[in-house]
Amino acid sequence: MPSLPSHAQVVIVGGGILGCSTAYHLTKAGVTDVLVLERKQLTSGTTWHAAGLLRSALASYNLTRLAMYTLDLYTKLEAETGQATGVVRPGSLSIATNKDRWEELLRGVGMLHSFGAEAEPISAKEAQQKWPLMKVDDVVGAVYYPLDGKCNPIDTCMALARGARMGGAKIVENVKVTRVLVENGRAVGVVTPDGNVRAEKVVNCTGIWGHDFGLEAGVNVPLQACEHFYVVTDPMEGMHSNLPVMRDMDHCAYYKEDAGKLLIGAFEPVAKPWAIDGIPEDFAFGELPEDYEHLAPILDNALRRVPGLGKVGIRKFFNGPESFTVDGRYILGPAPELKNYFVGAGFNSIGIQSGGGAGLALAHWIVHGEPPFDLWEVDIGRFFPHQNAKSFMIPRVSESLGLLYAMHWPFRQYESSRNARTSPLHARIAAAGACFGEVAGYERPNWFGAPGETPRYEYSYGRQNWFDASKEEHNAVRERVGLFDQSCFAKFVVKGPDAVRVLNRVSCNEIAVPPGRVVYTQWLNGKGGIEADLTVMRRAEDDFLVITSVGSQLRDRRHLERHVDLSDRVTIVDVSSAFAMLGLMGPRAREVLQSLTSADLSTAAFPFATSQELELAGVPARATRITYVGELGYEILMPTGYALKAYDALVAAGEPYGLKLAGYHALNSLRIEKAYRHWGHDITPDDTPIEAGLGFCIAWDKAGGFVGREALLGRRGKQIKSRLVQFVLEDSQALLYHDEPIWRDGKRVGRITSGMFGHTLGGAVGLGYVDLGHPASAEEFVAGRYEIEVAGRMIGAKASLKPLYDPQSARIRQ
């Protein structure tokens, strides 16, 4: 019987790459009382059969930081621990066989350069020189990543385990954790057949078991095991350890030298979920049945790509389970449902190449209570409960696995597990020709098709098929009036004698305003970074309504709840589903609304940033003069049961004024022309209001201060070296999305954080941080010759710190 301690500071459940990496990094952070419990043997489950690919670059800046750290760590581990890792770094290749994939790769090169990662576009001939066995007659171009490589996954995991033990961690195999001990809403240890272990923190690193193990403790971990395939050939001429890894994503395959043989791995378009009803109790180093029929299309293409395959046999057909998540991003961080419970799982076949950095990040989170930098894209807190249901997960992971090598189109929408959350106006909006997109499971109208047309996306990197339709919606809002269904927005009632004190504590702006006022504010972290961007409406002395985006619904509520003290007399209630919201926006919005109400809507009686209760065609509603489009406008709240009547009345009343239904693509193009920030892109926990140009929201001297104030004081009134700048491209045909490099006088100084075509400004508009490397004046930030790199092409751009549309904000106050 294994000998277990009665207590450990941190218990990690699972001895795969992430469990061992987390233990290793905890010891590096000074936490030596760490216990890793593995149900069978280290690496069993998924780690042992991973392909061992190592990439220096992933799809975003912060995930790339973790990947680059992983490469550096694995390269040094053998010298530190004496355990070989099998790391070799001959680089990797991604080839393109059509112009769309080539543009995707070129845009990716620019993105990676802005991250400081290395990537080099090369010709088909140069690609063949690096990978001589490849046929390139259909190859348009390729990208070479010189820092990439491969490792032996088992050896690498064992090196991390040895490093953890050297740091004081204890690792015990053949101990199954049956459940987590929970007391007063906190994880306090684990139960095993060999005895209970009390703990201050429990970490779920159980891989393909992550969903079921999390569910046992009431924690949602939306991942599902899927069958993952590769084949290994007999020894093959031309195979050597310095051959780069080669990816042919257009044909769903990657190629890797494996001890003189060729390993061909697949990311087929439609995956096969495995063990839907539960993983067999004795499963460890198991393999799944072969399925030649399923893999046949991949292998047929492989024979065309590598003709030499016709001369060798297949030594091994491998099928093993790997965990995939509902959005294709891994899961990291503290569980929202249970205190002191952390998760690191769901790596979507990139566990080895992410394991070092993810373990570093998770250990930092455990020790310091926050990630080392913004990791919201992989934070477990992003998930909603409905996404953990098998009925949602199974179709979604079948799709998300295939999307790993599919074209990563701008505005790509999932096709599976749709209509989980809908507006009370959904049927009306759909009948009006809406093409819906999904955010956090919520269906939102992105654009409206012409009468009689079936609206659907036709993807490209150029102007997609909805471009002109969205342009009409955009122009209607600028010139006349548009109507948006904003019912998806999250809404919280904050009420009680201490409500104003709690909200002022978390808000950098002043919340103690008269009833009827609306405050735009940010919620900050202790470093001054922006955790939330929202509005707070004071309805009465002790009654507030917080409105934020649907994607931030759970995050923002939890952030607020974490800052409520036990002595605070306040209640927080999520009323998001209780109220529908319509955005009536445009220069004629007042006329439309006035025709339906007896309330005085004049500027004197109803100024900007105020809110009033009124009757709208017999519907009790609350109208707020606020805007995210840069025009006169009203956000109109009403109980959900009245939504249809209010919508019908507004549509009918708006007809004489040229009212047009508008979607979220138009909302995005309108907001970016006005340089309104978008949380998660333009402002994040790593950005402060000062660099983001939101200093006007900081009430520096309000009573009691606010979270993050001390961190910002040193920069108050001083010049800064980095600043968010608005750009419009000089070439009216080019398009911006995000992460395009920003060049100033021939030097790369930043990247675009969000982009959209500005129909009023006549070109693509982007926001992005410019880092001049030294404290600079406002004039210096916009001086010089700016260019934006788009798919390898340098395009001139006009820079501005003030909104290029209506810089004085006269239109919103008229």
Side-chain angles (χ1 to χ4, degrees):
M1 177 184 294
S3 174
L4 298 181
S6 61
H7 178 275
Q9 189 174 347
V10 180
V11 170
I12 299 170
V13 185
I17 193 73
L18 203 279
C20 291
S21 177
T22 303
Y24 171 88
H25 286 97
L26 282 169
T27 64
K28 293 295 183 182
V31 180
T32 58
D33 187 13
V34 177
L35 175 64
V36 179
L37 297 177
E38 165 53 47
R39 63 185 290 275
K40 296 294 184 180
Q41 293 172 260
L42 295 184
T43 78
S44 63
T46 296
T47 297
W48 73 275
H49 65 71
L53 306 184
L54 299 177
R55 295 191 67 180
S56 59
L58 293 177
S60 70
Y61 174 58
N62 284 333
L63 295 191
T64 294
R65 292 170 70 180
L66 295 183
M68 292 178 73
Y69 169 83
T70 298
L71 260 171
D72 185 62
L73 171 67
Y74 291 177
T75 303
K76 298 175 181 176
L77 265 181
E78 182 173 352
E80 177 187 346
T81 66
Q83 167 68 51
T85 58
V87 172
V88 292
R89 298 176 66 174
S92 73
L93 284 169
S94 288
I95 63 173
T97 62
N98 58 71
K99 63 180 181 62
D100 291 322
R101 179 71 73 178
W102 185 227
E103 175 156 0
E104 176 182 289
L105 290 179
L106 288 176
R107 283 179 175 269
V109 168
M111 175 188 76
L112 295 174
H113 286 171
S114 71
F115 297 169
E118 294 187 35
E120 177 189 353
I122 60 176
S123 68
K125 182 178 179 180
E126 290 171 315
Q128 190 177 46
Q129 289 171 348
K130 293 182 180 295
W131 222 91
L133 283 75
M134 170 174 52
K135 188 177 180 182
V136 297
D137 57 331
D138 62 339
V139 174
V140 177
V143 174
Y144 177 59
Y145 308 88
L147 298 182
D148 292 2
K150 53 192 175 179
C151 70
N152 183 307
I154 293 177
D155 289 346
T156 302
C157 188
M158 291 302 186
L160 288 167
R162 180 175 292 183
R165 288 188 176 104
M166 290 166 62
K170 184 173 184 178
I171 299 175
V172 184
E173 298 176 291
N174 297 305
V175 174
K176 180 182 178 181
V177 175
T178 57
R179 65 183 178 92
V180 174
L181 288 170
V182 177
E183 295 175 3
N184 300 317
R186 286 175 163 78
V188 296
V190 297
V191 176
T192 84
D194 303 299
N196 296 352
V197 181
R198 303 285 293 189
E200 297 169 30
K201 306 283 174 63
V202 175
V203 190
N204 176 354
C205 291
T206 59
I208 55 176
W209 292 269
H211 173 266
D212 292 347
F213 186 72
L215 206 59
E216 182 278 325
V219 174
N220 291 322
V221 186
L223 62 81
Q224 170 64 43
C226 291
E227 299 183 29
H228 190 53
F229 301 88
Y230 59 75
V231 298
V232 181
T233 70
D234 288 330
M236 188 172 176
E237 187 176 350
M239 289 292 114
H240 55 85
S241 61
N242 288 323
L243 195 69
V245 174
M246 188 267 284
R247 287 176 293 274
D248 182 0
M249 292 182 287
D250 292 324
H251 297 102
C252 312
Y254 62 87
Y255 301 78
K256 170 206 161 189
E257 183 273 341
D258 184 66
K261 302 175 287 293
L262 180 60
L263 183 152
I264 307 166
F267 288 100
E268 64 275 24
V270 180
K272 296 178 62 179
W274 174 74
I276 294 172
D277 298 322
I279 299 170
E281 177 61 30
D282 61 350
F283 189 84
F285 293 96
E287 298 184 31
L288 307 183
E290 298 174 350
D291 189 342
Y292 280 95
E293 184 178 350
H294 184 74
L295 203 60
I298 310 294
L299 295 179
D300 288 344
N301 284 315
L303 281 166
R304 286 188 284 271
R305 179 65 57 212
V306 186
L309 286 171
K311 301 177 183 179
V312 296
I314 293 179
R315 174 165 294 193
K316 178 70 175 176
F317 187 114
F318 183 83
N319 180 9
E322 295 197 19
S323 59
F324 292 85
T325 65
V326 297
D327 61 2
R329 301 193 302 272
Y330 56 82
I331 303 173
L332 215 61
E337 304 92 343
L338 184 61
K339 295 183 185 303
N340 300 335
Y341 185 105
F342 291 78
V343 177
F347 278 84
N348 303 280
S349 210
I350 60 168
I352 302 301
Q353 66 190 45
S354 299
L360 169 75
L362 189 55
H364 189 283
W365 224 323
I366 292 167
V367 173
H368 300 286
E370 61 183 12
F373 39 76
D374 175 31
L375 289 174
W376 174 241
E377 61 192 304
V378 295
D379 189 333
I380 190 173
R382 72 190 186 272
F383 293 118
F384 285 74
H386 75 268
Q387 294 171 302
N388 201 54
K390 291 281 186 176
S391 59
F392 184 95
M393 282 199 306
I394 300 306
R396 181 56 66 85
V397 298
S398 300
E399 180 183 5
S400 66
L401 185 155
L403 291 178
L404 292 175
Y405 270 23
M407 286 293 301
H408 301 92
W409 299 116
F411 311 105
R412 178 80 180 246
Q413 302 295 325
Y414 281 106
E415 297 178 3
S416 61
S417 301
R418 295 293 296 267
N419 296 309
R421 306 169 70 193
T422 58
S423 158
L425 300 169
H426 184 82
R428 284 281 203 281
I429 298 293
C435 187
F436 291 93
E438 176 208 0
V439 174
Y442 206 112
E443 299 292 326
R444 311 191 308 178
N446 279 347
W447 55 281
F448 288 83
E453 172 184 298
T454 300
R456 60 170 59 93
Y457 278 93
E458 295 174 10
Y459 298 113
S460 78
Y461 271 97
R463 296 183 176 186
Q464 295 185 10
N465 63 312
W466 50 264
F467 184 89
D468 289 337
S470 188
K471 176 181 179 180
E472 291 181 13
E473 298 165 22
H474 177 112
N475 290 339
V477 175
R478 287 278 183 254
E479 298 164 6
R480 303 184 307 278
V481 59
L483 186 65
F484 297 88
D485 180 10
Q486 296 177 265
S487 300
C488 65
F489 277 50
K491 313 157 194 87
F492 316 133
V493 170
V494 184
K495 198 169 185 177
D498 295 324
V500 67
R501 182 157 62 91
V502 170
L503 285 167
N504 248 343
R505 181 185 302 150
V506 298
S507 304
C508 63
N509 213 338
E510 176 61 76
I511 304 301
V513 296
R517 295 290 299 181
V518 179
V519 179
Y520 169 55
T521 188
Q522 290 74 47
W523 292 350
L524 310 182
N525 55 40
K527 296 178 288 189
I530 300 171
E531 294 286 343
D533 180 71
L534 41 74
T535 59
V536 179
M537 176 196 309
R538 191 169 197 174
R539 301 190 297 186
E541 286 298 318
D542 64 349
D543 184 354
F544 295 81
L545 184 67
V546 176
I547 298 181
T548 188
S549 69
V550 61
S552 302
Q553 179 176 347
L554 300 182
R555 175 192 177 90
D556 292 353
R557 190 186 79 205
R558 291 164 184 156
H559 181 85
L560 179 60
E561 290 170 344
R562 283 196 295 270
H563 288 87
V564 175
D565 296 334
L566 290 175
S567 60
D568 289 327
R569 297 164 297 168
V570 64
T571 59
I572 301 167
V573 181
D574 189 328
V575 295
S576 300
S577 297
F579 292 93
M581 188 164 81
L582 290 167
L584 185 68
M585 302 286 160
R588 307 204 73 175
R590 180 184 286 119
E591 297 169 79
V592 175
L593 187 58
Q594 189 68 79
S595 71
L596 297 172
T597 183
S598 60
D600 184 355
L601 302 183
S602 67
T603 299
F606 199 161
F608 181 72
T610 65
S611 181
Q612 295 184 17
E613 292 184 351
L614 49 77
E615 182 184 292
L616 187 162
V619 171
R622 173 176 285 276
T624 301
R625 270 204 64 184
I626 201 79
T627 180
Y628 195 49
V629 301
E631 301 293 340
L632 166 70
Y634 305 87
E635 290 182 351
I636 306 167
L637 281 164
M638 74 288 296
T640 298
Y642 291 99
L644 287 173
K645 185 176 182 182
Y647 170 84
D648 289 343
L650 285 166
V651 170
E655 187 174 356
Y657 300 95
L659 179 143
K660 192 169 185 63
L661 297 179
Y664 281 78
H665 288 335
L667 188 75
N668 194 27
S669 62
L670 290 158
R671 73 92 187 169
I672 205 165
E673 286 189 328
K674 196 66 176 67
Y676 288 149
R677 281 64 167 155
H678 183 278
W679 190 88
H681 286 94
D682 311 311
I683 46 179
T684 74
D686 295 334
D687 307 309
T688 78
I690 296 174
E691 284 79 15
L694 297 172
F696 63 90
C697 292
I698 302 177
W700 290 103
D701 301 318
K702 68 175 179 177
F706 56 88
V707 173
R709 180 178 182 273
E710 298 304 314
L712 297 179
L713 276 176
R715 281 174 276 184
R716 183 180 183 181
K718 296 181 180 179
Q719 291 185 344
I720 52 179
K721 68 174 186 176
S722 178
R723 179 70 159 79
L724 191 67
V725 178
Q726 186 185 34
F727 299 93
V728 61
L729 296 186
E730 295 172 355
D731 180 348
S732 62
Q733 297 302 305
L735 297 177
L736 295 174
Y737 297 113
H738 58 80
D739 290 329
E740 294 88 354
I742 301 168
W743 295 78
R744 178 181 181 271
D745 295 334
K747 179 183 178 182
R748 192 168 57 246
V749 293
R751 60 188 173 92
I752 295 294
T753 51
S754 66
M756 195 73 172
F757 194 87
H759 299 287
T760 309
L761 296 177
V765 183
L767 298 176
Y769 287 91
V770 170
D771 188 345
L772 296 182
H774 61 271
S777 65
E779 293 76 17
E780 190 173 354
F781 275 106
V782 296
R785 171 63 175 163
Y786 276 99
E787 295 173 296
I788 310 298
E789 182 182 339
V790 180
R793 191 162 66 97
M794 306 299 286
I795 301 174
K798 179 181 179 181
S800 179
L801 293 181
K802 291 183 177 181
L804 289 166
Y805 178 78
D806 188 23
Q808 303 305 319
S809 296
R811 295 177 68 86
I812 67 175
R813 302 178 185 278
Q814 61 186 348

